[in-house]
Amino acid sequence: MSSKESLSTVEKILQAAEELFAERGFDGTSVNLIAEKADVNKAMIYYHFKDKNDLINSMFERILREAEHYLKRAFAAHSDSGIEVSHLDRIEEELNFLSKRKRIISVMMMEALKGDEKDNYFFKCAERVFKHELKGFKSESGEIEENSSDRQRDLVYEFFTGFVPIIAFVVFNEKWCDYFKCDSDKAMEYFLESFRKTHLASNF
Amino acid sequence: MSSKESLSTVEKILQAAEELFAERGFDGTSVNLIAEKADVNKAMIYYHFKDKNDLINSMFERILREAEHYLKRAFAAHSDSGIEVSHLDRIEEELNFLSKRKRIISVMMMEALKGDEKDNYFFKCAERVFKHELKGFKSESGEIEENSSDRQRDLVYEFFTGFVPIIAFVVFNEKWCDYFKCDSDKAMEYFLESFRKTHLASNF
DNA sequence: GTCTATAGCAGGATAGAC
DNA sequence: GTCTATCCTGCTATAGAC
């Protein structure tokens, strides 16, 4: 099922690249190494992808689509059912979704930290989240927005005290527990408590 | 004063490396490029540093010492003077200190995100901060700690809802304002407000 | 301490047979 | 779609003159 042999070539490449990029960074990973780990001939990588950049961009585009899909589903489900879902439950569900993709997210963050002029997929993802969470948030297209102070205020708040801590928890969880000798389940419990008492408790 | 010519060779190298690592990442930056930007002969880099890794580690060790010094001074000053300094004022002072070093901090974070087994200077820095901020926090040495649940809880809270948002604001501030078309001063104002209403407002 | 020159190899990418 | 062989640039690192 999840064994290498049963996956398509493209899938094998993407999976290997994801693991290696997360482990060693994009520039620290050679195409040779990806081919080796994916158990695929190097030329096949250039058959399926224009170059190394095209490879990482495909990864990013895919997760963007997945996130879009997840958000639509999640918000639709929550408004369909009469049941009010608590913020904390939604966060747990979100953490679960994100944890499965934590390697790509790490890579996205590394690339977003660089100063070069590439597309910032980290911000793009955040934008998608805000579009669902903040009522009346629009961005797409060249439309000039009424960049009201209130919206800017909400954005800063949502990003730096909401989105960022969650993403940080996802990408640093494991390394954190190793370094500070903390049990993983405990860390999760403490994080949810912290998040509830800070971001979720504020009357923004 | 701050012109290239007045700096020592080592200083020129470190400064150029810092800018390039922040712009393109550690692995994305060649020693050739560093030499060129620093206006220094490449062989000089290998004269002063064992290799490229030694170069980045020197940067990290230096900022660790600077942080240590800053924290000692800041906490000493605040307890000396009878004047109670508000949390928010301390945060602003801290942001100022960190902003001047945002490039190294970005690099530290990129490296911390990688999965390899190098020293995690990002966590090391956080540890130093906690040592000053959390009463009774000790770590150093092989001493086995009473890793009480309470301390672990505090650590998670301080790191993910305090340290991380601040660091994220420092490293993403500029890129954020570009992307979301936000004025830099406004962003700072909104961030401080957000931080006050979340991390600082919780009764942890 | 500073510079030139170069070793030695790994990297991204492609041509072309099957 | 898959594989072999290869190009060639650019990389880290060092030797050795001054």
Side-chain angles (χ1 to χ4, degrees):
Chain A
M1 199 62 157
S2 72
S3 87
K4 261 182 201 166
E5 289 73 23
S6 65
L7 296 171
S8 71
T9 304
V10 174
E11 219 49 54
K12 283 198 282 185
I13 294 167
L14 285 170
Q15 203 166 296
E18 183 185 316
E19 278 170 47
L20 287 166
F21 289 164
E23 192 73 16
R24 318 161 47 106
F26 176 71
D27 298 295
T29 304
S30 73
V31 178
N32 281 300
L33 200 57
I34 297 172
E36 200 178 309
K37 172 145 193 161
D39 197 24
V40 149
N41 191 287
K42 177 165 61 152
M44 288 310 293
I45 295 182
Y46 288 97
Y47 177 78
H48 289 289
F49 303 93
K50 190 178 147 287
D51 55 21
K52 208 180 152 193
N53 274 297
D54 185 37
L55 178 50
I56 198 173
N57 280 328
S58 299
M59 279 176 38
F60 289 161
E61 286 295 337
R62 168 190 286 205
I63 203 178
L64 208 57
R65 283 194 305 274
E66 279 182 11
E68 193 89 58
H69 185 255
Y70 171 81
L71 287 165
K72 272 206 189 97
R73 213 185 47 82
F75 279 81
H78 294 160
S79 51
D80 274 10
S81 68
I83 308 151
E84 257 301 324
V85 183
S86 82
H87 272 190
L88 216 55
D89 284 347
R90 250 212 10 239
I91 301 291
E92 273 202 74
E93 201 183 304
E94 221 172 289
L95 280 175
N96 185 42
F97 172 84
L98 293 169
S99 287
K100 285 180 197 146
R101 287 142 183 97
K102 66 179 172 185
R103 285 185 306 272
I104 296 195
I105 297 170
S106 296
V107 181
M108 248 175 48
M109 219 171 153
M110 290 181 216
E111 293 305 302
L113 283 164
K114 289 189 194 165
D116 49 24
E117 292 302 329
K118 285 196 206 151
D119 278 358
N120 193 318
Y121 280 91
F122 187 55
F123 288 164
K124 281 194 188 184
C125 284
E127 216 174 3
R128 294 290 192 288
V129 175
F130 300 152
K131 215 193 303 179
H132 283 87
E133 289 203 337
L134 270 45
K135 51 263 156 198
F137 177 79
K138 283 182 220 147
S139 65
E140 305 293 4
S141 79
E143 238 182 287
I144 293 144
E145 319 219 340
E146 16 92 51
N147 260 335
S148 73
S149 294
D150 275 356
R151 208 249 293 301
Q152 295 282 16
R153 178 180 268 111
D154 285 351
L155 273 185
V156 168
Y157 163 76
E158 284 296 337
F159 185 77
F160 288 104
T161 77
F163 188 77
V164 159
I166 287 177
I167 295 294
F169 182 72
V170 168
V171 297
F172 284 125
N173 185 7
E174 209 178 313
K175 294 186 243 290
W176 164 276
C177 289
D178 278 357
Y179 191 93
F180 289 102
K181 310 264 177 294
C182 184
D183 175 70
S184 184
D185 291 338
K186 283 286 172 196
M188 169 71 95
E189 182 193 325
Y190 298 150
F191 174 73
L192 288 173
E193 186 189 346
S194 301
F195 197 73
R196 182 170 55 77
K197 290 198 181 173
T198 56
H199 187 75
L200 297 181
S202 82
N203 52 358
F204 238 96
Chain B
M1 199 61 155
S2 73
S3 87
K4 260 182 201 168
E5 288 71 23
S6 65
L7 296 171
S8 71
T9 304
V10 174
E11 221 49 54
K12 284 199 280 185
I13 294 167
L14 285 170
Q15 202 166 296
E18 183 185 316
E19 279 169 46
L20 287 167
F21 289 164
E23 192 73 14
R24 319 162 45 105
F26 175 72
D27 298 295
T29 304
S30 73
V31 178
N32 281 301
L33 200 58
I34 297 171
E36 200 179 309
K37 171 145 196 162
D39 197 25
V40 148
N41 191 287
K42 178 167 58 154
M44 289 310 293
I45 295 181
Y46 288 97
Y47 176 78
H48 289 290
F49 302 94
K50 192 177 146 287
D51 54 23
K52 208 179 151 194
N53 274 297
D54 185 37
L55 178 49
I56 198 173
N57 280 327
S58 299
M59 281 176 38
F60 289 161
E61 285 295 336
R62 169 191 287 206
I63 204 179
L64 208 56
R65 283 195 305 273
E66 279 181 12
E68 193 90 58
H69 186 255
Y70 170 82
L71 287 165
K72 274 209 187 94
R73 212 185 47 83
F75 279 81
H78 295 158
S79 52
D80 274 9
S81 68
I83 309 150
E84 259 300 326
V85 183
S86 81
H87 272 190
L88 216 54
D89 284 348
R90 249 209 14 235
I91 302 291
E92 274 202 71
E93 201 183 305
E94 222 172 288
L95 280 175
N96 186 41
F97 172 85
L98 293 170
S99 287
K100 286 179 196 144
R101 287 143 184 97
K102 68 179 169 183
R103 285 185 305 273
I104 297 194
I105 297 170
S106 296
V107 181
M108 246 176 46
M109 221 172 151
M110 290 182 217
E111 293 306 302
L113 283 164
K114 290 189 196 166
D116 50 23
E117 291 303 330
K118 284 196 204 148
D119 279 357
N120 193 317
Y121 279 92
F122 186 56
F123 288 164
K124 281 194 188 183
C125 284
E127 215 174 5
R128 295 289 193 287
V129 175
F130 301 151
K131 216 193 302 179
H132 283 88
E133 288 203 338
L134 270 45
K135 51 265 156 198
F137 177 78
K138 283 181 218 150
S139 65
E140 306 291 5
S141 78
E143 237 182 287
I144 293 144
E145 319 219 339
E146 15 93 49
N147 260 335
S148 72
S149 294
D150 277 356
R151 208 248 294 303
Q152 297 281 17
R153 178 179 269 113
D154 286 352
L155 273 184
V156 167
Y157 163 76
E158 284 296 338
F159 185 77
F160 289 104
T161 77
F163 188 77
V164 158
I166 286 177
I167 295 293
F169 182 72
V170 169
V171 297
F172 285 123
N173 185 6
E174 210 178 314
K175 294 185 244 289
W176 164 276
C177 289
D178 278 359
Y179 191 92
F180 289 102
K181 310 262 177 292
C182 184
D183 175 69
S184 184
D185 290 338
K186 283 286 173 197
M188 170 72 96
E189 183 194 325
Y190 299 149
F191 175 72
L192 288 172
E193 186 190 346
S194 301
F195 197 73
R196 183 170 54 76
K197 290 198 181 171
T198 56
H199 187 74
L200 297 180
S202 80
N203 53 357
F204 239 96

